[in-house]
Amino acid sequence: LNGFFFDPEVLAREVEGLTGWSERSFDGEYASGWSSLGLLEQGADGTVEHADLAGCPNIRALGESFPSRMIALLVSRLDSGGWVKEHRDLSGGTPMGVVRFHVPITTHDEVDFFVSGKRLHMSPGSLWRLDTSYRHRVVNDSPVSRVHAIIDLEENDALRAMLPQRDWRDAAHNVYFAGFCMAQGVKLAATNPRRLAQRVRNAYKLRFARESVVDTDAP
C-alpha cells in the first residue's frame, strides 16, 4: 500500500530483544526454519499481550496505526535456508472478515515470496496486504533471517477504503475458496474428523468470535 512507511531499523532493534519464539515446523512437511511470536492476541477472555510487548513501543504503534480493532499482532521469522510450502489458510483470509497486513522488518533480495505464482519484492518498512486464502509460499535463500511484523485486523469500511475496490475477480475467488474449503472438509471427514472439528472451531472463533487462530491448510 502506498503512503505507509515504518522505520525497519527501529523495529529490528525491538525484535532483537524478543524471546520465546515458537517453532512452526509442521513436522518438516510444510515448513522448515519458520518461527513466530504472538505479541497480542484476542482470546475468549479478551486481549492477551506477551510480556515482551511492553519493550516494543514501535511494534505496538505499528499495530495501532490502522482504523480497526486488532485481532492479532505477531512477528514471524524465516531463517536462512528456510522455506514454507505453498498453502492457503483461514487466519488472514478476507472471506473470514480479516484484513492481514505484513511489514517486512529484515529481508533480502534473495527471499522469494510468491502469491498465486507471482513473486513479490517486499522492501523493509513497506506495507503489504496479504489475503491468505490465496496460494502463497516463501523460500529464504539469503544469508539473513527474514522477519515480518504481521497484523490481523477486523475488516470494516475504513479498512476497505484503504484497499483496491473489489470486482468480479474477488467474487469468483470467494466462490472458489468456499468450494475448496468444502472439498477439504469432505476429505477430512473421511480421513481425519478430529482435524476437521478443529478447523470448524477455528473458523467459528475467527469469523464470529473475532478470536486469534493459527490455521494452515495444505492445498
Side-chain angles (χ1 to χ4, degrees):
L1 276 72
N2 296 324
F4 289 89
F5 180 78
F6 303 93
D7 190 331
E9 294 184 2
V10 171
L11 298 175
R13 285 195 292 270
E14 293 185 350
V15 168
E16 289 177 358
L18 297 176
T19 59
W21 293 79
S22 175
E23 185 74 18
R24 299 175 66 186
S25 65
F26 295 98
D27 298 324
E29 181 179 0
Y30 298 126
S32 176
W34 182 27
S35 55
S36 63
L37 179 62
L39 295 173
L40 183 148
E41 299 179 351
Q42 298 297 339
D45 297 325
T47 304
V48 179
E49 295 186 5
H50 191 281
D52 285 355
L53 184 58
C56 301
N58 292 284
I59 294 178
R60 180 192 290 275
L62 164 63
E64 294 175 345
S65 298
F66 307 101
S68 177
R69 172 178 173 266
M70 269 193 292
I71 297 173
L73 171 64
L74 64 148
V75 285
S76 177
R77 181 177 65 201
L78 187 65
D79 295 336
S80 175
W83 50 270
V84 180
K85 183 179 178 180
E86 185 173 79
H87 67 285
R88 308 172 191 266
D89 53 71
L90 296 175
S91 54
T94 300
M96 300 303 295
V98 178
V99 174
R100 171 167 290 183
F101 288 132
H102 275 238
V103 176
I105 297 174
T106 303
T107 189
H108 192 279
D109 288 343
E110 294 178 13
V111 173
D112 293 323
F113 184 60
F114 292 87
V115 179
S116 295
K118 181 179 179 180
R119 184 179 186 273
L120 302 180
H121 175 67
M122 306 169 75
S123 59
S126 59
L127 178 68
W128 293 78
R129 178 273 190 99
L130 173 64
D131 185 339
T132 61
S133 64
Y134 287 83
R135 295 179 293 110
H136 56 287
R137 64 183 177 90
V138 59
V139 178
N140 184 4
D141 286 328
S142 81
V144 302
S145 292
R146 169 220 194 228
V147 179
H148 281 200
I150 301 174
I151 310 101
D152 285 349
L153 301 155
E154 288 187 6
E155 185 179 25
N156 59 22
D157 291 342
L159 284 181
R160 281 192 291 269
M162 296 170 55
L163 305 175
Q165 188 173 3
R166 293 175 178 172
D167 59 19
W168 65 269
R169 289 170 294 187
D170 297 290
H173 168 74
N174 288 345
V175 171
Y176 172 83
F177 185 66
F180 168 82
C181 291
M182 291 179 63
Q184 289 287 301
V186 170
K187 179 181 177 181
L188 286 175
T191 62
N192 193 342
R194 184 174 181 179
R195 177 60 175 146
L196 174 61
Q198 181 184 12
R199 288 186 180 174
V200 170
R201 286 195 300 270
N202 282 350
Y204 175 84
K205 287 169 61 177
L206 183 62
R207 186 68 181 87
F208 299 103
R210 289 293 185 251
E211 296 177 17
S212 305
V213 301
V214 175
D215 191 274
T216 302
D217 297 331

